[in-house]
Amino acid sequence: MLEIVALEKRFGSNTVLKNIDLKVAGGELVFVIGPSGSGKSTMLRCCNRLEEPTSGDIILDGRNIMSGTSRDLNRMRLQVGMVFQGFHLYPHMSVLKNVTLAQRKALKRSKPDADARAMDMLERVGLAHKANAYPAELSGGQQQRVAIARALALDPKVMLFDEPTSALDPELVGSVLKVMKDLKSKGMTMLVVSHEMAFARETADRVVFMDGGVVVEEGKPEEIFGAPKAERTRTFLSRVSS
């Protein structure tokens, strides 16, 4: 469903991604871990060209998103849902309007159709009863679940999660992870950057460890967490689990 081929990203003389190759199959949850500054979030943002790759290819469902017109890119971006560390909700809009805005602007859905889709997705994340609330009235976990509902309402083929729980109080993390686990059970293709190691062990199909802008190793959770091959992976995991 998503393939990253020979991806490089430079900021001036600083190369932050070095020849990254990664495949995510349809329905697969791939979890990316690694220290801060290893290039994880930059790689994720290159997947929908929020960051422009220096070189390499990003292939979504068989189509190379590095070629084509700006209209093609905008159409492709609708197929890649993105959930950020911050929630990026419009504070002056109700939850319902936050979830319908992109549907109406980008997909040209009618108000009744957009409202119906929004309510379905809010129900899915357990927040239909908050449709008329405003972001300031919600907890951080609820705001993040609204952001997930907003992305899902556009019917994406792939969901990208960039540290979706790092801005949340610890007691609110579980509600967001529960939604992600539900998405996984329903066959959503997901690429997740996060430090939620227990969630990765339990839910991921594959775990990718990055450091210094390269993929050091990847494998099933039991392989990466139980018997990592690379010394750098072992060192990292011993520090985050200690």
Side-chain angles (χ1 to χ4, degrees), residues 5-42:
V5 183
L7 179 67
E8 296 213 352
K9 176 62 180 177
R10 292 190 295 274
F11 294 102
S13 60
N14 182 26
T15 302
V16 295
L17 295 175
K18 306 167 186 175
N19 200 36
I20 299 285
D21 291 312
L22 182 63
K23 292 182 180 181
V24 184
E28 192 177 29
L29 193 167
V30 175
F31 214 92
V32 185
I33 62 173
S36 297
S38 59
K40 308 182 301 295
S41 292
T42 301

Side-chain angles (χ1 to χ4, degrees), residues 78-97:
L78 294 174
Q79 299 173 23
V80 182
M82 184 104 185
V83 177
F84 300 91
Q85 184 173 343
F87 320 123
H88 300 308
L89 301 179
Y90 292 105
H92 62 289
M93 290 184 177
S94 69
V95 164
L96 182 64
K97 287 186 177 178

Side-chain angles (χ1 to χ4, degrees), residues 213-231:
V214 301
V215 172
V216 176
E217 66 176 303
E218 62 177 284
K220 294 184 181 300
E222 58 268 26
E223 295 169 348
I224 298 299
F225 292 111
K229 297 182 178 67
E231 179 60 34

Side-chain angles (χ1 to χ4, degrees), residues 154-190:
L154 298 173
D155 306 315
K157 293 180 176 179
V158 176
M159 286 284 285
L160 308 176
F161 290 86
D162 188 9
E163 301 281 8
T165 61
S166 64
L168 303 180
D169 292 334
E171 68 268 24
L172 302 177
V173 168
S175 65
V176 173
L177 297 182
K178 182 176 181 294
V179 170
M180 295 171 67
K181 191 172 182 179
D182 178 65
L183 291 178
K184 160 70 176 164
S185 72
K186 290 180 168 61
M188 176 59 74
T189 306
M190 293 188 279

Side-chain angles (χ1 to χ4, degrees), residues 119 126-133 142 145:
M119 291 305 297
L127 289 173
H129 64 294
K130 294 290 188 180
N132 294 317
Q142 289 172 329
R145 283 149 61 197

